[in-house]
Amino acid sequence: MYFDKVKADNAINFIRQLKHTKGKWKGVFFTLLPWQEQALRDIFGTVRDDGRRQYTMAYLEIPKKMGKSELAAAVALQGLCADNEWAAEVYGCAADRAQASLVFDVAVDMVDQNPTLKKNIKPVLSQKRLVYMPTKSFYQVLSAEAFTKHGLNVSRVVFDEIHAQPNRELFDVLTEGSGDAREQPLYFIISTAGNDPDRQSIGWETHQMAVDILTGVKHDPTFYAMIYGLDRDNRRIWKGQEYETIDAELEDEEQWRKVWIDKKIWEKVNPSLGHTVAWEKAEEQFTRAAGNLAKERNFRWLRLNSWEKLKTTGWLGLDFWDLCKAKIQLDRLRGRPCYAGLDLSSKIDMTAFVLLFPPDDINRKWIVLPIFWVPEDAVPERVRTDKVKYDEWVQQGYLKTTPGNVIDYNFIEKEIIDLRGVYDIQEIGFDPWNAMQTAVNLENEDLTMVEVRQGYKSMSPAMKEIEQLARGKKLIHSGHPILRWNVGNVEIKMDENENIRPVKGKGIERIDGLVALINAMARAMLNEDTRSVYEDRGVITV
């Protein structure tokens, strides 16, 4: 094994003839940052004694916004056009077609900006394919959603975000034997850390292989590894192919927080910081995340490349919720327009109905009015099994009961219809699971029922709005103990786009009231300006 500078230079020089495709860098020749050039020189310049490339697998793990897509597109085009391979087959892979197309679309733009490549490459955009006519080679998008297992003769694979693969099938098909007929196949994997609490994915497996090679635990001369990120479990700060040991007990949350909020560490694990992403952007995202456990977790995951273990995180702290407690004058709410949310329970659990009143000229904040029901005969059993004081809540009037030992939907429907005579209920948002018959019955009573699907798309905007209102003390509730209990129980799941949805913790924790409130807000947001008029013009004094 030795280093061949000519081979490294050839690959680097090809990439330098390409142009960037995004933002202020659009149209500028590709200038490799130090970490990018080191990786490419190592990968393309390290050769065996017979002159073929040493590395067949290259794994680069970096935070978001470090120039990953541009580098991946450049490597794909180099494999298509400049790797001395007749009829090369280059595949761009990701978990789904949309993700795989991101790198492909960058490559198409790079080709359009290079007259020589544009002359020699035929795009077949409907198939997400580029054909390099001089060597009859092609670059094709594949995804885990749809691919053929047969007939692949791989010369290069560019694998984007391997952590997001739903299973290992596509990875195994492409890396196990499909490139055996090629002189020097290359599997180029570039990814961020994964949201993988169970540590079972092919992304984690490949990450761990890279760690083992870099730490000397395993030896594989064909596997190239480079990692930038934080490793809480092993107290490491990865800086490419080296790491620093963190001198702190990171099991302690305060110690861990002191580490990851340190901007010196941000710089160490973000090799393109100040180039592909401005310092101010990272600081702004941290400021927005501070104090919000879910957003802080996403910051560590995406900005600091930390493999996070928690599946869910807490939501709004009860301290913020409690600051919104105030006396509600029910007589002033009579006849006022409001939106309702219904979370209908199974036979023996609690059902929640929440009325949400938008601001008006008298009440300048959002007002929350919750109602809960439980089967009367089931109360003693719920107290015994859940260890929750349902019986006290019934006695205090916070929890209503329906006759019998299972929830009486007709009883609840009648009470909702009676509420329509007191308040001007515009719409009722409901979870369609287990509630369709109730919804039909209430529709027949001239109440407007609207399904609110219990996923990220429907729930995230409403949940974020409730949080913003509570943090800004622009929401009022009476301190209802069951709703407070629900708010304290809720955890959230967040996707990589920072969309959120509620989930309940393990065991007996209930979140019915909060789900009903989210359903109500989801409908209110589509019909009301959620900003108070006083934010725009202030209070008019006459």
Side-chain angles (χ1 to χ4, degrees):
M1 182 172 69
Y2 64 97
F3 183 76
D4 188 326
K5 185 176 183 299
V6 173
K7 289 183 183 294
D9 285 345
N10 286 342
I12 295 292
N13 290 337
F14 173 86
I15 290 173
R16 284 176 174 161
Q17 296 306 306
L18 303 174
K19 292 181 179 179
H20 288 286
T21 66
K22 305 291 184 183
K24 67 178 182 180
W25 300 105
K26 168 78 173 180
V28 176
F29 282 109
F30 208 122
T31 301
L32 292 166
L33 295 171
W35 73 272
Q36 294 172 324
E37 181 158 352
Q38 178 196 338
L40 295 182
R41 286 195 175 279
D42 290 347
I43 294 165
F44 291 103
T46 306
V47 298
R48 308 175 188 183
D49 292 340
D50 61 6
R52 291 181 299 154
R53 267 195 302 270
Q54 176 66 38
Y55 299 114
T56 57
M57 182 85 70
Y59 179 82
L60 277 62
E61 186 184 301
I62 54 174
K64 286 281 189 183
K65 304 301 181 184
M66 294 291 104
K68 176 170 58 67
S69 297
E70 303 269 321
L71 182 62
V75 170
L77 289 175
Q78 193 276 338
L80 176 67
C81 308
D83 205 36
N84 298 320
E85 186 78 28
W86 183 264
E89 294 184 20
V90 178
Y91 294 98
C93 304
D96 56 57
R97 189 171 177 84
Q99 181 67 41
S101 297
L102 293 178
V103 173
F104 176 83
D105 292 344
V106 172
V108 170
D109 201 348
M110 287 178 168
V111 170
D112 284 342
Q113 295 183 80
N114 185 297
T116 302
L117 293 182
K118 191 171 184 179
K119 178 181 177 182
N120 289 287
I121 290 179
K122 177 183 177 181
V124 187
L125 299 182
S126 62
Q127 300 177 28
K128 295 293 182 180
R129 176 183 286 231
L130 295 177
V131 179
Y132 184 59
M133 293 179 290
T135 61
K136 301 186 184 302
S137 301
F138 66 81
Y139 166 30
Q140 175 73 55
V141 167
L142 288 181
S143 74
E145 296 173 320
F147 68 96
T148 176
K149 297 181 180 180
H150 307 290
L152 299 182
N153 188 2
V154 172
S155 56
R156 182 163 302 178
V157 174
V158 175
F159 229 118
D160 187 27
E161 302 293 20
I162 191 173
H163 70 85
Q165 285 292 307
N167 54 56
R168 61 179 306 126
E169 188 176 0
L170 177 60
F171 180 82
D172 287 347
V173 165
L174 290 170
T175 60
E176 294 183 2
S178 62
D180 288 354
R182 300 291 183 174
E183 284 290 309
Q184 47 181 11
L186 175 62
Y187 308 101
F188 184 85
I189 303 168
I190 188 162
S191 183
T192 56
N195 182 14
D196 180 17
D198 296 322
R199 303 294 197 254
Q200 298 294 319
S201 67
I202 183 60
W204 173 257
E205 179 183 314
T206 312
H207 162 85
Q208 193 57 52
M209 182 65 178
V211 169
D212 288 346
I213 287 172
L214 290 173
T215 55
V217 173
K218 293 182 179 179
H219 177 69
D220 182 349
T222 68
F223 193 114
Y224 180 84
M226 176 179 281
I227 300 174
Y228 286 90
L230 277 180
D231 179 356
R232 181 181 186 178
D233 292 345
N234 297 294
R235 297 190 299 136
R236 291 172 180 152
I237 304 169
W238 281 104
K239 303 185 298 180
Q241 295 183 301
E242 299 176 345
Y243 66 85
E244 291 181 12
T245 300
I246 301 169
D247 185 19
E249 295 299 325
L250 300 187
E251 294 82 5
D252 182 84
E253 291 296 329
E254 289 188 11
Q255 290 293 321
W256 171 230
R257 183 177 176 79
K258 286 179 182 178
V259 169
W260 68 262
I261 67 172
D262 186 343
K263 293 180 183 178
K264 293 179 182 177
I265 288 178
W266 298 4
E267 189 170 17
K268 291 175 181 178
V269 302
N270 283 272
S272 302
L273 194 59
H275 298 278
T276 59
V277 61
W279 263 101
E280 308 89 79
K281 296 295 183 182
E283 290 169 339
E284 287 171 8
Q285 186 173 0
F286 172 73
T287 299
R288 290 195 300 270
N292 182 306
L293 295 179
K295 289 186 177 181
E296 288 185 350
R297 175 181 175 275
N298 255 29
F299 182 87
R300 293 192 301 271
W301 169 28
L302 300 175
R303 289 294 192 190
L304 304 181
N305 210 44
S306 170
W307 288 77
E308 295 290 311
K309 279 189 174 181
L310 294 177
K311 290 184 179 179
T312 58
T313 56
W315 182 53
L316 179 73
L318 282 175
D319 50 348
F320 286 106
W321 183 256
D322 290 342
L323 289 173
C324 295
K325 180 180 177 181
K327 182 176 177 58
I328 296 175
Q329 295 178 303
L330 295 179
D331 59 317
R332 290 191 176 183
L333 298 180
R334 295 182 66 89
R336 272 191 57 186
C338 63
Y339 297 84
L342 175 64
D343 187 56
L344 203 63
S345 70
S346 60
K347 297 289 186 181
I348 61 173
D349 285 331
M350 190 161 51
T351 287
F353 186 73
V354 173
L355 296 167
L356 180 63
F357 297 82
D360 64 8
D361 288 338
I362 297 174
N363 299 290
R364 298 166 187 172
K365 298 182 179 182
W366 291 78
I367 298 175
V368 178
L369 196 62
I371 304 164
F372 297 88
W373 296 271
V374 72
E376 182 176 15
D377 295 346
V379 170
E381 177 66 14
R382 304 309 297 177
V383 172
R384 187 182 67 81
T385 58
D386 292 1
K387 305 295 189 293
V388 175
K389 50 186 179 183
Y390 291 98
D391 52 347
E392 293 184 21
W393 287 336
V394 171
Q395 293 170 7
Q396 294 165 355
Y398 293 117
L399 180 59
K400 296 187 173 189
T401 58
T402 67
N405 59 4
V406 295
I407 201 76
D408 186 333
Y409 298 136
N410 291 330
F411 184 94
I412 292 173
E413 290 168 16
K414 182 179 183 304
E415 293 218 339
I416 291 174
I417 293 167
D418 289 344
L419 288 169
R420 188 259 311 272
V422 180
Y423 309 109
D424 183 7
I425 301 175
Q426 303 291 299
E427 295 180 357
I428 300 175
F430 70 98
D431 175 4
W433 183 86
N434 202 40
M436 290 307 299
Q437 187 57 54
T438 295
V440 170
N441 295 343
L442 292 175
E443 281 274 9
N444 290 337
E445 295 293 335
D446 295 325
L447 283 161
T448 303
M449 305 296 295
V450 184
E451 292 184 14
V452 178
R453 297 288 176 178
Q454 305 296 284
Y456 291 113
K457 183 178 180 180
S458 298
M459 304 190 86
S460 183
M463 201 169 182
K464 289 181 177 180
E465 182 68 21
I466 294 166
E467 179 180 5
Q468 182 178 344
L469 292 171
R471 287 178 179 272
K473 292 193 282 189
K474 296 176 182 175
L475 177 145
I476 293 175
H477 60 79
S478 63
H480 196 293
I482 302 178
L483 185 56
R484 184 182 188 275
W485 179 52
N486 292 167
V487 171
N489 288 338
V490 75
E491 297 179 352
I492 64 172
K493 278 191 173 182
M494 178 182 286
D495 66 17
E496 65 178 26
N497 296 315
E498 296 192 359
N499 296 307
I500 61 177
R501 65 179 180 87
V503 293
K504 68 176 184 177
K506 296 179 180 179
I508 51 80
E509 291 88 352
R510 310 290 178 194
I511 61 171
D512 317 81
L514 180 65
V515 171
L517 175 57
I518 293 169
N519 291 343
M521 180 59 81
R523 299 312 308 159
M525 289 180 69
L526 292 177
N527 293 280
E528 301 282 331
D529 183 354
T530 55
R531 296 174 305 155
S532 165
V533 294
Y534 304 100
E535 293 180 31
D536 294 329
R537 63 167 168 78
V539 178
I540 297 176
T541 303
V542 294

